[in-house]
Amino acid sequence: MSDNSVRNTDIKTVRKLVTTAGTSIGAPAVPAGMKRWVTFIRATNEFGAFQNLYVCSCTSAVYATTMAKASATAKVNLILGALGHQNLPEAGPTDYSYPLFSIAEDKYINAYPTKGNASLFIQYYDE
C-alpha cells in the first residue's frame, strides 16, 4: 500500500453555543503542516428570528467579532430560520472523503451569528 492511500480517520467533533461577540468553536489551531477538513455542520438558531451564521477561518482564537470580519473570513454562510436548524450537507454526516472545506495550518474555526445565539456542531479531521 502506498503512502497516498493512507488517510487519517480520526474524526473529531465539537459542540458550542456561539454568540454575536464572535466565538471560537473550542478546537485548537490547525497543527503545522496539516489542514483541517470539515465534513459536517449542524447549526440551530437559538435567537427566534431569521439570521445568518458565518463559519470562518481565522488567525487567532477569537477574530470574527464583526459582520465585516466574519464575511471576509467566511468558509460558509448558513441562513437559519427562526428556531430552526440547518445541516450541511443536508443529508447529515457523510464519508470523510468528501469534506465541505478546509482550514489552513495555524488557523482556527470561528463562528459569528448575525443577530443572536446559535448552537453549532462541527465534525472535522486533521490531515
Side-chain angles (χ1 to χ4, degrees), residues 2-121:
S2 71
D3 288 339
N4 292 338
S5 65
V6 176
R7 303 280 321 245
N8 179 6
T9 57
D10 184 19
I11 302 293
K12 294 178 176 55
T13 61
V14 63
R15 186 181 314 263
K16 185 81 172 189
L17 180 67
V18 295
T19 69
T20 56
T23 306
S24 168
I25 65 159
V30 179
M34 300 185 94
K35 281 188 179 181
R36 178 157 294 151
W37 297 94
V38 175
T39 58
F40 177 71
I41 299 172
R42 179 182 177 97
T44 303
N45 192 352
E46 306 286 347
F47 178 62
F50 283 93
Q51 69 171 329
N52 292 41
L53 175 65
Y54 293 94
V55 179
C56 311
S57 170
C58 300
T59 55
S60 67
V62 180
Y63 176 77
T65 56
T66 66
M67 173 93 90
K69 288 179 180 180
S71 178
T73 60
K75 288 291 190 170
V76 66
N77 174 14
L78 302 171
I79 300 169
L80 302 176
L83 298 177
H85 72 273
Q86 185 172 356
N87 291 340
L88 191 62
E90 191 174 310
T94 60
D95 186 326
Y96 69 88
S97 299
Y98 302 100
L100 300 170
F101 56 85
S102 67
I103 304 290
E105 68 179 91
D106 298 325
K107 303 264 184 174
Y108 294 83
I109 301 174
N110 292 19
Y112 181 82
T114 56
K115 295 180 180 175
N117 293 349
S119 297
L120 185 63
F121 174 86

